[in-house]
Amino acid sequence: MTPDEMLDYCLDMPGAYLDHPFGPEHSAVRLKTPTMDKGRIFAEVFTLRGVDVVTLRCETDAALTYREMYPGVVVRGYHCPPAEARYANTMPLDGDVPDAHLLEMADEAYDFIVAKLPKYRQAELRDG
């Protein structure tokens, strides 16, 4: 999967938009409802040591499961603060993780962030 394919997939989700809070070479996809000032990041796509990678948010148990499924390939979220690293995984987009599984993880990342929103904001996404 290419970085653009991953970004396009994530940006097709309701309320998703592109941001570059860490510089122009580091794309972050945020989720925002109409009443929010700033969205919450659920996916990041960037190049790390010459390899295109994605960082996706998820539940702690899921993060550990994916790290066990793909040892040394799926690792704790790159550049995430230690408290948040347990909720994020970074992995290459080079085929070591099948594309279908990457897309499934992207869906889970989106759902993880939606679930953290207050119910009225979740309703904005459904109705909006």
Side-chain angles (χ1 to χ4, degrees), residues 93-128:
L93 292 170
D94 63 3
D96 285 345
V97 177
D99 288 357
H101 210 169
L102 288 171
L103 298 178
E104 180 182 314
M105 287 189 255
D107 290 338
E108 289 177 16
Y110 178 84
D111 292 343
F112 176 71
I113 295 301
V114 169
K116 292 194 167 294
L117 297 175
K119 298 287 184 211
Y120 75 95
R121 288 208 163 123
Q122 291 179 28
E124 289 178 28
L125 286 173
R126 284 191 307 271
D127 302 338

Short mmCIF file of all heavy atoms in Angstrom, two decimals, residues 93-128:
data_model
loop_
_atom_site.label_atom_id
_atom_site.label_comp_id
_atom_site.label_asym_id
_atom_site.label_seq_id
_atom_site.Cartn_x
_atom_site.Cartn_y
_atom_site.Cartn_z
N LEU A 93 4.42 0.38 5.43
CA LEU A 93 3.42 0.22 4.38
C LEU A 93 3.98 -0.60 3.21
O LEU A 93 3.50 -0.50 2.09
CB LEU A 93 2.97 1.60 3.88
CG LEU A 93 2.18 2.43 4.88
CD1 LEU A 93 2.01 3.86 4.37
CD2 LEU A 93 0.84 1.80 5.17
N ASP A 94 5.00 -1.41 3.48
CA ASP A 94 5.73 -2.12 2.42
C ASP A 94 5.23 -3.53 2.13
O ASP A 94 5.82 -4.25 1.35
CB ASP A 94 7.21 -2.17 2.76
CG ASP A 94 7.51 -2.95 4.03
OD1 ASP A 94 6.57 -3.52 4.64
OD2 ASP A 94 8.68 -3.00 4.43
N GLY A 95 4.14 -3.94 2.76
CA GLY A 95 3.60 -5.27 2.51
C GLY A 95 3.84 -6.26 3.62
O GLY A 95 3.29 -7.37 3.58
N ASP A 96 4.66 -5.92 4.62
CA ASP A 96 4.87 -6.84 5.74
C ASP A 96 3.58 -7.09 6.50
O ASP A 96 3.38 -8.16 7.08
CB ASP A 96 5.93 -6.30 6.70
CG ASP A 96 7.35 -6.44 6.15
OD1 ASP A 96 7.53 -7.20 5.18
OD2 ASP A 96 8.26 -5.79 6.70
N VAL A 97 2.70 -6.11 6.51
CA VAL A 97 1.34 -6.26 7.05
C VAL A 97 0.42 -6.19 5.83
O VAL A 97 0.49 -5.21 5.07
CB VAL A 97 1.00 -5.15 8.06
CG1 VAL A 97 -0.44 -5.29 8.54
CG2 VAL A 97 1.98 -5.14 9.24
N PRO A 98 -0.41 -7.22 5.61
CA PRO A 98 -1.28 -7.21 4.42
C PRO A 98 -2.16 -5.96 4.37
O PRO A 98 -2.63 -5.47 5.39
CB PRO A 98 -2.13 -8.48 4.59
CG PRO A 98 -1.34 -9.35 5.51
CD PRO A 98 -0.57 -8.43 6.42
N ASP A 99 -2.38 -5.47 3.15
CA ASP A 99 -3.19 -4.26 2.97
C ASP A 99 -4.55 -4.37 3.64
O ASP A 99 -5.02 -3.42 4.27
CB ASP A 99 -3.38 -3.95 1.48
CG ASP A 99 -2.10 -3.45 0.81
OD1 ASP A 99 -1.08 -3.27 1.51
OD2 ASP A 99 -2.14 -3.23 -0.41
N ALA A 100 -5.19 -5.52 3.51
CA ALA A 100 -6.52 -5.69 4.13
C ALA A 100 -6.45 -5.49 5.63
O ALA A 100 -7.37 -4.92 6.23
CB ALA A 100 -7.07 -7.07 3.79
N HIS A 101 -5.38 -5.96 6.24
CA HIS A 101 -5.23 -5.80 7.69
C HIS A 101 -4.92 -4.35 8.04
O HIS A 101 -5.41 -3.84 9.06
CB HIS A 101 -4.15 -6.74 8.22
CG HIS A 101 -4.42 -7.17 9.62
ND1 HIS A 101 -3.72 -8.16 10.24
CD2 HIS A 101 -5.29 -6.73 10.56
CE1 HIS A 101 -4.16 -8.33 11.47
NE2 HIS A 101 -5.11 -7.46 11.68
N LEU A 102 -4.14 -3.67 7.22
CA LEU A 102 -3.88 -2.24 7.45
C LEU A 102 -5.18 -1.44 7.41
O LEU A 102 -5.40 -0.57 8.26
CB LEU A 102 -2.90 -1.70 6.40
CG LEU A 102 -1.45 -2.12 6.51
CD1 LEU A 102 -0.68 -1.67 5.27
CD2 LEU A 102 -0.82 -1.58 7.78
N LEU A 103 -6.04 -1.74 6.45
CA LEU A 103 -7.31 -1.03 6.33
C LEU A 103 -8.22 -1.33 7.52
O LEU A 103 -8.90 -0.44 8.03
CB LEU A 103 -8.00 -1.37 5.01
CG LEU A 103 -7.23 -0.98 3.75
CD1 LEU A 103 -7.99 -1.41 2.50
CD2 LEU A 103 -6.91 0.50 3.72
N GLU A 104 -8.19 -2.57 7.97
CA GLU A 104 -8.96 -2.95 9.16
C GLU A 104 -8.46 -2.16 10.38
O GLU A 104 -9.26 -1.66 11.17
CB GLU A 104 -8.82 -4.45 9.39
CG GLU A 104 -9.57 -4.98 10.59
CD GLU A 104 -9.35 -6.47 10.77
OE1 GLU A 104 -9.44 -7.21 9.77
OE2 GLU A 104 -9.07 -6.90 11.91
N MET A 105 -7.15 -2.04 10.50
CA MET A 105 -6.58 -1.28 11.62
C MET A 105 -6.91 0.20 11.52
O MET A 105 -7.14 0.87 12.52
CB MET A 105 -5.07 -1.50 11.71
CG MET A 105 -4.69 -2.87 12.22
SD MET A 105 -2.92 -2.98 12.57
CE MET A 105 -2.38 -3.94 11.18
N ALA A 106 -6.97 0.73 10.29
CA ALA A 106 -7.35 2.12 10.09
C ALA A 106 -8.80 2.34 10.53
O ALA A 106 -9.13 3.34 11.18
CB ALA A 106 -7.16 2.54 8.63
N ASP A 107 -9.67 1.38 10.18
CA ASP A 107 -11.06 1.46 10.63
C ASP A 107 -11.14 1.45 12.16
O ASP A 107 -11.90 2.21 12.76
CB ASP A 107 -11.88 0.30 10.08
CG ASP A 107 -12.11 0.39 8.58
OD1 ASP A 107 -12.03 1.51 8.02
OD2 ASP A 107 -12.38 -0.67 7.96
N GLU A 108 -10.37 0.58 12.78
CA GLU A 108 -10.35 0.49 14.24
C GLU A 108 -9.83 1.79 14.86
O GLU A 108 -10.33 2.22 15.90
CB GLU A 108 -9.50 -0.69 14.70
CG GLU A 108 -10.13 -2.03 14.42
CD GLU A 108 -9.24 -3.19 14.83
OE1 GLU A 108 -8.27 -3.00 15.59
OE2 GLU A 108 -9.52 -4.32 14.38
N ALA A 109 -8.83 2.41 14.23
CA ALA A 109 -8.28 3.67 14.74
C ALA A 109 -9.36 4.76 14.71
O ALA A 109 -9.52 5.51 15.68
CB ALA A 109 -7.07 4.09 13.91
N TYR A 110 -10.08 4.83 13.62
CA TYR A 110 -11.17 5.81 13.50
C TYR A 110 -12.23 5.55 14.57
O TYR A 110 -12.64 6.46 15.31
CB TYR A 110 -11.77 5.72 12.10
CG TYR A 110 -12.93 6.65 11.87
CD1 TYR A 110 -12.73 7.97 11.52
CD2 TYR A 110 -14.24 6.19 12.01
CE1 TYR A 110 -13.80 8.83 11.31
CE2 TYR A 110 -15.31 7.03 11.79
CZ TYR A 110 -15.10 8.35 11.45
OH TYR A 110 -16.15 9.19 11.26
N ASP A 111 -12.67 4.29 14.69
CA ASP A 111 -13.69 3.93 15.67
C ASP A 111 -13.22 4.21 17.10
O ASP A 111 -14.02 4.62 17.95
CB ASP A 111 -14.07 2.47 15.53
CG ASP A 111 -14.81 2.16 14.23
OD1 ASP A 111 -15.31 3.11 13.58
OD2 ASP A 111 -14.87 0.97 13.86
N PHE A 112 -11.94 4.00 17.36
CA PHE A 112 -11.36 4.25 18.69
C PHE A 112 -11.51 5.72 19.05
O PHE A 112 -11.91 6.06 20.17
CB PHE A 112 -9.89 3.82 18.69
CG PHE A 112 -9.14 4.11 19.95
CD1 PHE A 112 -9.41 3.40 21.11
CD2 PHE A 112 -8.15 5.08 19.98
CE1 PHE A 112 -8.71 3.66 22.29
CE2 PHE A 112 -7.45 5.35 21.14
CZ PHE A 112 -7.73 4.64 22.30
N ILE A 113 -11.21 6.60 18.11
CA ILE A 113 -11.31 8.04 18.38
C ILE A 113 -12.78 8.47 18.46
O ILE A 113 -13.15 9.26 19.33
CB ILE A 113 -10.54 8.85 17.32
CG1 ILE A 113 -9.03 8.55 17.41
CG2 ILE A 113 -10.79 10.35 17.48
CD1 ILE A 113 -8.39 8.85 18.75
N VAL A 114 -13.63 7.94 17.59
CA VAL A 114 -15.05 8.27 17.66
C VAL A 114 -15.61 7.90 19.03
O VAL A 114 -16.36 8.68 19.65
CB VAL A 114 -15.85 7.55 16.54
CG1 VAL A 114 -17.36 7.67 16.79
CG2 VAL A 114 -15.49 8.11 15.18
N ALA A 115 -15.23 6.74 19.55
CA ALA A 115 -15.74 6.27 20.84
C ALA A 115 -15.32 7.18 21.98
O ALA A 115 -15.98 7.21 23.03
CB ALA A 115 -15.27 4.84 21.10
N LYS A 116 -14.24 7.93 21.83
CA LYS A 116 -13.77 8.84 22.87
C LYS A 116 -14.52 10.18 22.86
O LYS A 116 -14.40 10.97 23.78
CB LYS A 116 -12.27 9.08 22.73
CG LYS A 116 -11.46 7.82 23.04
CD LYS A 116 -10.02 8.16 23.24
CE LYS A 116 -9.28 7.01 23.84
NZ LYS A 116 -9.66 6.66 25.19
N LEU A 117 -15.28 10.43 21.79
CA LEU A 117 -16.03 11.67 21.69
C LEU A 117 -17.30 11.59 22.54
O LEU A 117 -17.88 10.51 22.70
CB LEU A 117 -16.43 11.95 20.24
CG LEU A 117 -15.31 12.15 19.23
CD1 LEU A 117 -15.90 12.28 17.83
CD2 LEU A 117 -14.48 13.38 19.58
N PRO A 118 -17.76 12.74 23.04
CA PRO A 118 -19.05 12.75 23.73
C PRO A 118 -20.17 12.28 22.78
O PRO A 118 -20.06 12.44 21.56
CB PRO A 118 -19.27 14.22 24.11
CG PRO A 118 -17.93 14.86 24.01
CD PRO A 118 -17.14 14.06 23.00
N LYS A 119 -21.22 11.74 23.33
CA LYS A 119 -22.32 11.18 22.53
C LYS A 119 -22.90 12.21 21.56
O LYS A 119 -23.22 11.88 20.42
CB LYS A 119 -23.43 10.65 23.44
CG LYS A 119 -23.00 9.52 24.34
CD LYS A 119 -22.80 8.26 23.56
CE LYS A 119 -22.47 7.12 24.54
NZ LYS A 119 -21.62 6.13 23.99
N TYR A 120 -23.02 13.47 21.97
CA TYR A 120 -23.60 14.46 21.07
C TYR A 120 -22.70 14.71 19.86
O TYR A 120 -23.18 14.99 18.76
CB TYR A 120 -23.93 15.78 21.79
CG TYR A 120 -22.76 16.66 22.13
CD1 TYR A 120 -22.37 17.71 21.28
CD2 TYR A 120 -22.03 16.47 23.30
CE1 TYR A 120 -21.30 18.52 21.60
CE2 TYR A 120 -20.96 17.28 23.62
CZ TYR A 120 -20.60 18.31 22.77
OH TYR A 120 -19.53 19.12 23.08
N ARG A 121 -21.38 14.59 20.03
CA ARG A 121 -20.48 14.75 18.89
C ARG A 121 -20.50 13.51 18.01
O ARG A 121 -20.37 13.61 16.79
CB ARG A 121 -19.08 15.08 19.37
CG ARG A 121 -19.01 16.50 19.91
CD ARG A 121 -17.64 17.10 19.77
NE ARG A 121 -17.70 18.53 19.92
CZ ARG A 121 -17.01 19.22 20.82
NH1 ARG A 121 -16.21 18.60 21.67
NH2 ARG A 121 -17.12 20.53 20.87
N GLN A 122 -20.65 12.34 18.61
CA GLN A 122 -20.80 11.13 17.81
C GLN A 122 -22.05 11.24 16.93
O GLN A 122 -22.03 10.84 15.76
CB GLN A 122 -20.89 9.90 18.72
CG GLN A 122 -19.60 9.57 19.43
CD GLN A 122 -19.72 8.38 20.34
OE1 GLN A 122 -20.52 7.48 20.12
NE2 GLN A 122 -18.91 8.34 21.40
N ALA A 123 -23.11 11.80 17.49
CA ALA A 123 -24.34 11.99 16.73
C ALA A 123 -24.12 12.95 15.57
O ALA A 123 -24.70 12.77 14.48
CB ALA A 123 -25.45 12.50 17.64
N GLU A 124 -23.29 13.98 15.76
CA GLU A 124 -22.98 14.91 14.67
C GLU A 124 -22.36 14.19 13.48
O GLU A 124 -22.66 14.50 12.33
CB GLU A 124 -22.00 16.00 15.13
CG GLU A 124 -22.58 17.02 16.08
CD GLU A 124 -21.52 18.02 16.52
OE1 GLU A 124 -20.56 18.27 15.76
OE2 GLU A 124 -21.65 18.55 17.62
N LEU A 125 -21.50 13.21 13.75
CA LEU A 125 -20.88 12.45 12.67
C LEU A 125 -21.92 11.59 11.94
O LEU A 125 -21.90 11.51 10.71
CB LEU A 125 -19.78 11.54 13.21
CG LEU A 125 -18.48 12.23 13.63
CD1 LEU A 125 -17.56 11.24 14.29
CD2 LEU A 125 -17.81 12.88 12.44
N ARG A 126 -22.80 10.98 12.70
CA ARG A 126 -23.84 10.13 12.09
C ARG A 126 -24.84 10.95 11.28
O ARG A 126 -25.27 10.54 10.22
CB ARG A 126 -24.59 9.35 13.17
CG ARG A 126 -23.85 8.19 13.76
CD ARG A 126 -24.77 7.33 14.61
NE ARG A 126 -25.50 8.10 15.62
CZ ARG A 126 -25.05 8.35 16.85
NH1 ARG A 126 -23.87 7.90 17.22
NH2 ARG A 126 -25.78 9.02 17.70
N ASP A 127 -25.20 12.11 11.82
CA ASP A 127 -26.27 12.92 11.21
C ASP A 127 -25.75 13.93 10.20
O ASP A 127 -26.53 14.50 9.46
CB ASP A 127 -27.05 13.67 12.30
CG ASP A 127 -27.65 12.72 13.32
OD1 ASP A 127 -27.85 11.53 12.99
OD2 ASP A 127 -27.92 13.17 14.45
N GLY A 128 -24.45 14.18 10.24
CA GLY A 128 -23.93 15.27 9.50
C GLY A 128 -23.40 15.09 8.18
O GLY A 128 -23.25 15.77 7.30
#
